[in-house]
Amino acid sequence: MYELMAWLEASALAEFLRGLGVWTYGLVNLVHILGIGTLLGSVLLLDLRLLGAWNSIPLPTIARPTVPLAATGFVLAVCSGVAMLSFNTTEYHGNPFLYIKLPTLVVALANVAIIQRLSAWRRGMAGNASQPGDRGVLAVAGAVSLLLWLTVVACGRMIGYW
Ligand code: HEM
């Protein structure tokens, strides 16, 4: 792990970013926060809908704007996150919050892929009549998703306090 971190810290990207000036880290951090806000805000709406909130609103009406927004926020957060990490990567060596955050991020992404393959999700998105059990399946999917993303955010926030 240390070797990988040392490689990122010595990479051309890291050297380029560090050479841009004193404001660079702050601006990249700002992009990270904007990405996180966009991602979490969208995920919160969608997951609460899956958990049963605003049941009178059709699932596609909420999913159509929130899914692409969440994806945009995710891309911003990942790009800026890697850039921030590259500034002084080896300082994060042994930081448990980073080590929890990054794998949880991968699991949260896998969960997104799983949700989109669920029959209950597909029926809901196609506007087809739901089958018995669909609500329960979607509620579990929403709860798992929310828990994973909140873990990522909480660990991200705690990284700096280790
Ligand atoms: C590959 C992806 C990512 C990497 C490498 C990464 C890396 C980082 C780094 C290095 C920090 C600064 C820690 C510090 O020294 O204080 C940070 C902060 C943070 N990250 Fe990420 N991050 C990634 C994605 C995400 C995502 C997707 C989220 C949210 C869903 C997130 C949430 C946070 C939060 C809440 C903070 C604290 C921001 C602050 O207080 O200024 N990160 N991240």
Side-chain angles (χ1 to χ4, degrees), residues 25 29 32 36 39 81 84 92 101 105 152-153 156-157 159-160:
Y25 187 89
N29 197 359
H32 205 56
I36 296 160
L39 169 64
M84 284 201 298
Y92 295 104
K101 174 181 166 173
L105 200 120
V152 174
V153 173
R157 191 64 193 94
I159 288 172

Side-chain angles (χ1 to χ4, degrees), residues 8 13-14 17 24-39 71-89 92 98 101-102 105 159:
L8 180 61
L13 168 78
L17 288 170
T24 314
Y25 187 89
L27 290 173
V28 176
N29 197 359
L30 174 63
V31 175
H32 205 56
I33 299 288
L34 291 175
I36 296 160
T38 309
L39 169 64
T72 307
F74 180 79
V75 171
L76 285 177
V78 168
C79 294
S80 53
V82 172
M84 284 201 298
L85 195 61
S86 74
F87 272 80
N88 48 358
T89 323
Y92 295 104
L98 184 71
K101 174 181 166 173
L102 296 185
L105 200 120
I159 288 172

Side-chain angles (χ1 to χ4, degrees), residues 43-80:
V43 157
L44 193 64
L45 276 178
L46 184 58
D47 287 349
L48 288 177
R49 171 64 181 78
L50 293 178
L51 275 162
W54 317 296
N55 256 332
S56 59
I57 302 177
L59 182 58
T61 306
I62 290 195
R64 258 186 229 120
T66 51
V67 171
L69 265 180
T72 307
F74 180 79
V75 171
L76 285 177
V78 168
C79 294
S80 53

Side-chain angles (χ1 to χ4, degrees), residues 39-40 42-44 46-47 50 59 63 66-75 78 103-122 125 137-138 140-150 152:
L39 169 64
L40 197 72
S42 314
V43 157
L44 193 64
L46 184 58
D47 287 349
L50 293 178
L59 182 58
T66 51
V67 171
L69 265 180
T72 307
F74 180 79
V75 171
V78 168
T104 308
L105 200 120
V106 175
V107 177
L109 261 195
N111 187 52
V112 171
I114 291 169
I115 291 177
Q116 298 202 337
R117 278 162 187 75
L118 293 174
S119 313
W121 169 270
R122 292 192 169 180
M125 287 302 285
V137 170
L138 291 179
V140 171
V144 170
S145 167
L146 207 51
L147 193 70
L148 289 169
W149 288 117
L150 287 176
V152 174

